[in-house]
Amino acid sequence: MQQPTLPPADSGNADFELARRIIENTGEHLFLTGRAGTGKTTFLRRLMQSTHKRIVVAAPTGIAAINAGGVTLHSLFQLDFGPFVPGAPHKPSHRFRKEKLKLIHSIDVLVIDEISMVRADLLDAVDDALRRLRRSPLPFGGVQLLLIGDLRQLPPVVIEKEWNLLREHYPTPYFFSSHALRQCPYVVIELEKVYRQEDSHFLSILNAIRDGKVTAGVLNKLNARCRPGFTGDGDRPWIQLTTHNHLAAAINAGRMSRIKELPRVFEAQVEGNFPEALFPAEAKLTLKPGAQVMFIKNDPLHGYYNGLLGTVKRINDDNTVIVVPEDRNDEIRVEMQEWENREFTVREAEGDIEEKVVGFFRQLPLKAAWAITIHKSQGLTFDHAVIDAAAAFAHGQTYVALSRCRTLEGLVLSSPIPASSIISDTVVSSFLQSGTSTRPGEEQLQQMEHAYSQTLLDNLFDFSRVRNDFDNLRILATQAFRNIAPKLPAMLNERKAEIVEKMEIPASRFHAQYTTLIQRQDLAALNARLRAAAGYFAPLVSDLEKYVKTLPSSHDNRTYQERLAEYTTQLLQELGDKSTQFEALQKEDFSPMALLRARSKALIANEKTTPVRSAAKKSKSAKKTAQKERKPREIQLPPGFEGDANVYRALKKWRLQKMYTTDKPAFTIMYEKTLVELATALPGSREEFLAINGLGPAKWKEYGLEILKIIANPQHFLP
């Protein structure tokens, strides 16, 4: 039996095309749902291959993340595993690495697979992280969401103790009760065409169970497949689906013990970063000839896929396993396979997002599979399954179990399914019924596309964030350098006024012009006005970038040093983003794609040019290594400096060398203000040295003669 084929890209599936346009051409959030086997995963794979947007894929569990080719929500946003209580203070427990921050700033679309298993508070925790890290008041930090899953399938896990904390804040645990999601509109598209089952009779039974419309007639048809005590007919592998882990484990252990052959244990190989919680297969796999197994990985080249059942024929000395697949006469030689643990990173050359492999897990892609739980069967397809769903305890559990089967004839019930085992949550039914009304028509879709263009231009021509970032830097720099650069406050105030007069006010006036042209769909006039506006603003932004880079960024006080780096980084990122977009508008006609490409390039440019230093303490050896590897860079003069520039630069270089060789903080060697005074007064004797404020006999004894030599011949100490 071959793996079921999914529709080709040009199949004409109208739902696929509508979902693609929403993600590609609008900023609207999308919930893509549909019954089992409707191609949700297929759509995601095609989107990842074709989109021009920067996409990150995440899932609520490790296995779901591995299967989707993504990461877990908790690892992506470094979330705690406890409940997220709205309104309670949430102080991040982890510092984000530079690469992680760069990734989060670059996301255009966040895909959350298996969204039915995501609790409302977890989605709000994601919202909190995105707003905070992207410095945006918008829901989810302005990131577009693509939520994929079927609410009729497995629900989120809710521990009673945690729900007691959350029930005061959420009407339901489902993701659609998220406070953040309820703040913004989103589109619901339900895929209709089923590719897994072709039997209309069986489909009607599944649909009735999924929709909670089970009649006595439907139950009778289903329970006609009941054969108590049946575990298989011996001619082909049958798998049992159970409600609980211990039931599946007991069945597998019992069936394995009946085989008289000696067991062979295969130990997994782990390389790099691959946490145990993400293991896609057993770390120690026990097999015997005659054991029933299930493939847990897709490999079309070798003729198997995830969920294919078979029987172990023999185990070779080279640790390969020969498996006879169900309903086939051939044999499959099974070797060690490799799974990758991926992290998302920003590609340096193109500025888009790529997946970076950080760890490997190697094991045979097999597991003993006389039985598995219904939860672990989600996403799989079987030709022959024995289902024990009489003890179903969760919404959607019975539907998930039954829909794993390709045909009604390949399904056997170990016990009759009572009506009480078909659990349907009325809250879910009500949500889905109302959600289908959000499906847009062509006119509404075009309005969404125009609104997206409007949003991109609004963000580009909004200089309020530039003004605020500059003001924060202005206030901090004034405090930090009031003794070293007394002329700096006036200079910064003058620049702030220029930002308002030359950037913010003209941009606000321009807003009405491009808004009118977008509404009129006058593309020729729109492109002409945008090109002219870009020509006006680009030089102003470039000039401000250059100015910010000339501002003093080093300080003896560690707190000032870190905050100066932070504020400078934020401002340069914002300016770099606008600069690349203005450049794009001058070179080509406006389109969302062009601006998105420009934003991707800006991200990389900002990271390469922003003067950010790590605040982490380094050991003496690490500092020496860093010193050797550091590229020489020009030492900036303080604003309004009137002393000898060469002497100042030589003294700065001397202090830096002392810092590395002695492992002392810079300010304990000599204050910045003192360096400025030395470069201005230019002392030539002990008496003149001691006359400078902050210098005494101890400093003279330790550094005096060195300082006088530098002042006498600064060129000797400069590169």
Side-chain angles (χ1 to χ4, degrees):
M1 180 68 67
Q2 295 185 349
Q3 189 176 9
T5 57
L6 291 166
D10 59 350
S11 64
N13 190 315
D15 293 332
F16 280 11
E17 176 58 19
L18 176 59
R20 185 198 65 78
R21 285 183 64 181
I22 290 172
I23 295 300
E24 290 277 36
N25 303 332
T26 83
E28 299 292 319
H29 303 311
L30 172 62
F31 172 36
L32 185 69
T33 187
R35 56 198 79 233
T38 50
K40 297 184 292 292
T41 302
T42 300
F43 171 81
L44 176 58
R45 289 172 180 167
R46 288 183 190 149
L47 181 68
M48 294 289 290
Q49 293 172 354
S50 63
T51 185
H52 61 271
K53 288 188 176 181
R54 298 164 295 184
I55 292 183
V56 168
V57 181
T61 66
I63 298 301
I66 293 293
N67 291 338
V71 296
T72 66
L73 287 168
H74 287 87
S75 65
L76 178 61
F77 298 109
Q78 299 178 190
L79 304 175
D80 294 328
F81 283 94
F84 181 90
V85 181
H90 298 283
K91 186 178 181 180
S93 57
H94 310 283
R95 291 180 64 90
F96 282 76
R97 293 181 293 107
K98 182 179 175 182
E99 284 295 317
K100 179 64 71 69
L101 286 173
K102 183 168 66 174
L103 169 68
I104 291 172
H105 278 288
S106 71
I107 299 174
D108 293 320
V109 181
L110 174 63
V111 178
I112 304 181
D113 200 20
E114 300 291 359
I115 188 63
S116 70
M117 302 172 69
V118 174
R119 283 190 339 206
D121 65 305
L122 176 56
L123 197 57
D124 279 340
V126 170
D127 166 70
D128 177 76
L130 284 170
R131 294 194 200 211
R132 173 167 39 84
L133 298 172
R134 292 169 64 94
R135 299 190 302 128
S136 171
L138 298 174
F140 304 99
V143 173
Q144 186 181 20
L145 298 183
L146 171 55
L147 312 174
I148 301 178
D150 184 6
L151 282 167
R152 300 290 194 186
Q153 298 190 40
L154 298 175
V157 177
V158 183
I159 301 172
E160 185 176 357
K161 181 180 178 181
E162 294 180 345
W163 184 237
N164 288 335
L165 292 174
L166 297 172
R167 67 171 70 250
E168 296 181 7
H169 304 277
Y170 298 100
T172 81
Y174 294 104
F175 78 91
F176 53 77
S177 292
S178 153
H179 293 297
L181 194 62
R182 292 161 71 182
Q183 292 178 20
C184 46
Y186 56 96
V187 177
V188 178
I189 295 179
E190 183 168 7
L191 303 176
E192 297 292 345
K193 187 175 181 180
V194 179
Y195 299 97
R196 179 177 295 161
Q197 295 93 9
E198 299 179 354
D199 182 357
S200 59
H201 176 61
F202 186 30
L203 276 175
S204 66
I205 294 175
L206 292 177
N207 291 341
I209 293 172
R210 180 179 184 270
D211 299 335
K213 300 178 180 178
V214 180
T215 62
V218 170
L219 275 180
N220 290 336
K221 292 177 183 178
L222 186 59
N223 287 327
R225 300 296 304 165
C226 182
R227 296 173 62 183
F230 178 83
T231 58
D233 54 18
D235 297 330
R236 60 181 68 88
W238 287 73
I239 191 167
Q240 294 181 252
L241 304 183
T242 67
T243 52
H244 294 77
N245 279 311
H246 71 275
L247 296 175
I251 292 171
N252 287 328
R255 296 292 293 271
M256 187 72 78
S257 66
R258 297 177 197 174
I259 301 174
K260 304 304 181 184
E261 301 283 346
L262 291 175
R264 182 78 67 85
V265 179
F266 299 85
E267 294 194 15
Q269 302 169 7
V270 181
E271 180 181 336
N273 180 16
F274 210 118
E276 187 175 351
L278 299 181
F279 284 1
E282 297 178 27
K284 292 185 177 182
L285 173 65
T286 301
L287 294 177
K288 295 180 180 179
Q292 180 169 301
V293 293
M294 181 175 71
F295 288 88
I296 55 176
K297 192 175 177 54
N298 294 319
D299 190 340
L301 182 65
H302 293 91
Y304 59 83
Y305 57 89
N306 188 21
L308 176 65
L309 295 176
T311 303
V312 176
K313 183 176 181 179
R314 67 178 182 273
I315 301 175
N316 299 326
D317 292 337
D318 60 354
N319 286 333
T320 59
V321 178
I322 305 301
V323 176
V324 179
E326 62 175 328
D327 293 341
R328 286 165 48 181
N329 297 320
D330 61 327
E331 298 178 352
I332 299 176
R333 185 174 182 268
V334 187
E335 301 176 330
M336 284 280 191
Q337 287 283 351
E338 187 173 87
W339 287 263
E340 298 173 343
N341 183 27
R342 299 170 179 266
E343 288 184 355
F344 288 96
T345 59
V346 178
R347 188 156 39 197
E348 292 292 328
E350 294 82 2
D352 59 357
I353 293 175
E354 68 172 352
E355 295 173 283
K356 179 182 178 182
V357 178
V358 296
F360 300 92
F361 178 93
R362 300 179 183 90
Q363 179 61 286
L364 292 173
L366 300 170
K367 67 180 298 181
W370 288 276
I372 63 172
T373 64
I374 295 171
H375 273 73
K376 291 182 180 178
S377 75
Q378 185 159 327
L380 302 179
T381 304
F382 303 112
D383 287 324
H384 305 94
V386 180
I387 296 173
D388 179 16
F393 57 88
H395 158 79
Q397 199 172 21
T398 299
Y399 171 71
V400 169
L402 297 175
S403 61
R404 300 310 94 194
C405 299
R406 212 182 310 275
T407 65
L408 184 61
E409 290 71 26
L411 181 156
V412 169
L413 300 178
S414 60
S415 58
I417 295 180
S420 60
S421 294
I422 302 174
I423 305 170
S424 181
D425 196 325
T426 57
V427 173
V428 169
S429 301
S430 177
F431 167 78
L432 290 175
Q433 188 174 3
S434 63
T436 55
S437 63
T438 66
R439 184 186 180 96
E442 180 61 31
E443 182 178 353
Q444 188 179 359
L445 184 58
Q446 290 182 8
Q447 292 174 354
M448 291 177 180
E449 292 172 344
H450 296 155
Y452 186 51
S453 296
Q454 178 83 41
T455 298
L456 291 176
L457 291 177
D458 286 348
N459 290 335
L460 175 58
F461 290 101
D462 180 5
F463 285 90
S464 61
R465 187 160 160 178
V466 170
R467 186 236 312 144
N468 289 333
D469 286 349
F470 185 87
D471 204 36
N472 289 334
L473 182 60
R474 178 188 66 84
I475 295 171
L476 180 64
T478 299
Q479 295 173 347
F481 300 105
R482 57 180 178 269
N483 295 326
I484 301 172
K487 296 181 180 180
L488 184 60
M491 297 166 57
L492 293 174
N493 287 334
E494 184 178 348
R495 277 285 177 169
K496 179 187 175 182
E498 289 181 1
I499 293 172
V500 174
E501 295 171 7
K502 295 182 179 181
M503 295 182 180
E504 193 169 13
I505 293 176
S508 65
R509 293 171 179 168
F510 182 54
H511 175 272
Q513 296 182 36
Y514 67 73
T515 299
T516 301
L517 294 173
I518 290 175
Q519 293 172 348
R520 293 177 181 173
Q521 299 185 43
D522 191 345
L523 297 183
L526 176 64
N527 285 319
R529 292 298 300 130
L530 289 176
R531 193 170 291 111
Y536 170 79
F537 285 109
L540 295 174
V541 171
S542 178
D543 181 65
L544 184 57
E545 278 189 283
K546 294 175 182 177
Y547 178 76
V548 171
K549 292 176 182 178
T550 66
L551 294 176
S553 57
S554 62
H555 201 280
D556 296 337
N557 185 290
R558 181 177 177 180
T559 301
Y560 277 137
Q561 172 78 29
E562 292 178 349
R563 291 178 66 193
L564 283 168
E566 178 187 353
Y567 289 173
T568 303
T569 298
Q570 292 175 357
L571 181 54
L572 288 178
Q573 285 177 344
E574 184 71 18
L575 293 171
D577 188 22
K578 292 187 183 300
S579 181
T580 54
Q581 291 185 70
F582 287 137
E583 182 181 353
L585 287 177
Q586 294 180 84
K587 292 181 178 179
E588 58 184 305
D589 289 344
F590 164 71
S591 70
M593 184 184 299
L595 290 191
L596 290 172
R597 283 198 303 263
R599 286 167 51 186
S600 297
K601 294 178 181 178
L603 176 74
I604 299 303
N606 289 333
E607 290 296 330
K608 289 180 177 180
T609 59
T610 301
V612 179
R613 292 183 63 185
S614 173
K617 291 184 179 180
K618 297 180 179 179
S619 66
K620 183 181 291 187
S621 61
K623 286 184 177 181
K624 288 181 179 179
T625 302
Q627 185 184 25
K628 291 178 182 178
E629 295 177 349
R630 180 178 283 116
K631 296 180 180 179
R633 68 179 183 182
E634 184 180 355
I635 297 173
Q636 299 175 347
L637 298 175
F641 178 76
E642 298 177 349
D644 189 307
N646 286 334
V647 171
Y648 175 78
R649 292 190 175 102
L651 289 172
K652 290 280 287 189
K653 181 186 176 185
W654 168 82
R655 190 177 68 163
L656 184 65
Q657 291 174 338
K658 287 291 182 184
M659 184 179 69
Y660 284 117
T661 56
T662 64
D663 201 29
K664 292 181 179 179
F667 72 91
T668 65
I669 300 170
M670 201 158 290
Y671 287 109
E672 177 74 18
K673 183 182 179 182
T674 305
L675 297 182
V676 172
E677 291 190 22
L678 283 168
T680 303
L682 301 177
S685 64
R686 180 177 184 276
E687 289 73 19
E688 292 175 351
F689 180 93
L690 294 175
I692 293 176
N693 187 35
L695 298 179
K699 291 292 184 185
W700 169 258
K701 183 179 179 180
E702 192 170 8
Y703 304 126
L705 293 178
E706 290 182 69
I707 297 293
L708 295 185
K709 288 180 181 179
I710 293 172
I711 293 173
N713 187 14
Q715 293 293 344
H716 178 74
F717 295 88
L718 293 174

